[in-house]
């Protein structure tokens, strides 16, 4: 017969093992691409795919932690919100003309993305070059 202490430990153990697996239920996927961007330069395209494409296209690369809660929930939310605001995979890309401003203001890439994707961090020179390329590709101010 299990004591209350054993029941609590069993419940806690079940939770700690089972909760991360709930992440398998999170929505993931890459819908079809309905748009091809005409980039102002190969460098702008490279920088975009290095730091932005995971959330702003239908070409998201899902890392191993995308399948474990709670990271899976945060990642799914970030991708959904990113695609809603600006998505190069649609003909109507959304707020594309604001991309360079978001970058220069420090709003993109978000800090939580940078924690796990240090390659998305730009040097000051890369940031300026990328912002200029985004403005030339999508319009907007620079």
């Amino acid at each position: 017969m299990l004591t209350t202490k054993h029941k609590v430990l069993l419940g806690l153990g079940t939770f700690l093992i089972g909760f991360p697996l709930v992440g398998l239920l999170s929505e993931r996927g890459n819908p079809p691409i309905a748009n091809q961007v005409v980039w102002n330069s190969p460098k702008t395209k490279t920088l975009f795919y290095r730091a932005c494409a995971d959330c702003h296209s239908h070409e998201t690369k899902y890392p191993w932690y995308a399948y474990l809660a709670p990271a899976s929930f945060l990642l799914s939310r970030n991708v959904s919100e990113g695609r809603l605001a600006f998505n190069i995979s649609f003909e109507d890309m959304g707020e594309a003309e604001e991309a360079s401003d978001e970058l220069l203001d420090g709003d993109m890439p978000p800090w939580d993305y940078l924690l796990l994707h240090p390659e998305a961090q730009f040097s000051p020179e890369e940031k300026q070059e990328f912002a200029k390329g985004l403005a030339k590709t999508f319009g907007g101010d620079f």
Side-chain angles (χ1 to χ4, degrees):
M1 183 141 179
L2 293 175
T3 65
T4 302
K5 180 180 175 182
H6 287 113
K7 288 178 184 177
V8 169
L9 289 174
L10 182 62
L12 183 60
T14 301
F15 174 77
L16 290 175
I17 292 169
F19 181 67
L21 298 178
V22 173
L24 296 172
L25 303 175
S26 292
E27 185 178 325
R28 282 177 299 280
N30 285 314
I33 296 170
N35 184 48
Q36 293 297 320
V37 173
V38 178
W39 298 97
N40 78 302
S41 74
K43 179 77 173 185
T44 302
K45 180 179 180 179
T46 298
L47 293 173
F48 181 87
Y49 278 90
R50 185 173 112 191
C52 310
D54 281 339
C55 292
H56 296 289
S57 76
H58 289 174
E59 298 177 68
T60 304
K61 294 181 181 110
Y62 290 98
W64 64 269
Y65 55 83
Y67 300 89
L68 300 174
S72 61
F73 303 129
L74 296 171
L75 195 141
S76 291
R77 187 197 70 203
N78 287 350
V79 170
S80 294
E81 288 178 0
R83 287 177 176 175
L84 282 174
F86 166 47
N87 187 341
I88 67 164
S89 298
F90 285 130
E91 195 168 324
D92 176 7
M93 292 183 273
E95 301 168 358
E97 68 282 346
E98 295 178 22
S100 62
D101 289 338
E102 294 283 323
L103 176 70
L104 291 174
D105 291 345
D107 296 330
M108 288 291 149
W111 69 271
D112 57 339
Y113 185 80
L114 292 172
L115 284 176
L116 296 170
H117 299 88
E119 71 279 2
Q121 184 70 46
F122 297 113
S123 69
E125 296 80 21
E126 284 179 317
K127 192 175 199 176
Q128 287 296 313
E129 181 181 0
F130 186 38
K132 190 181 296 182
L134 289 172
K136 287 180 180 177
T137 299
F138 301 119
D141 299 327
F142 179 77

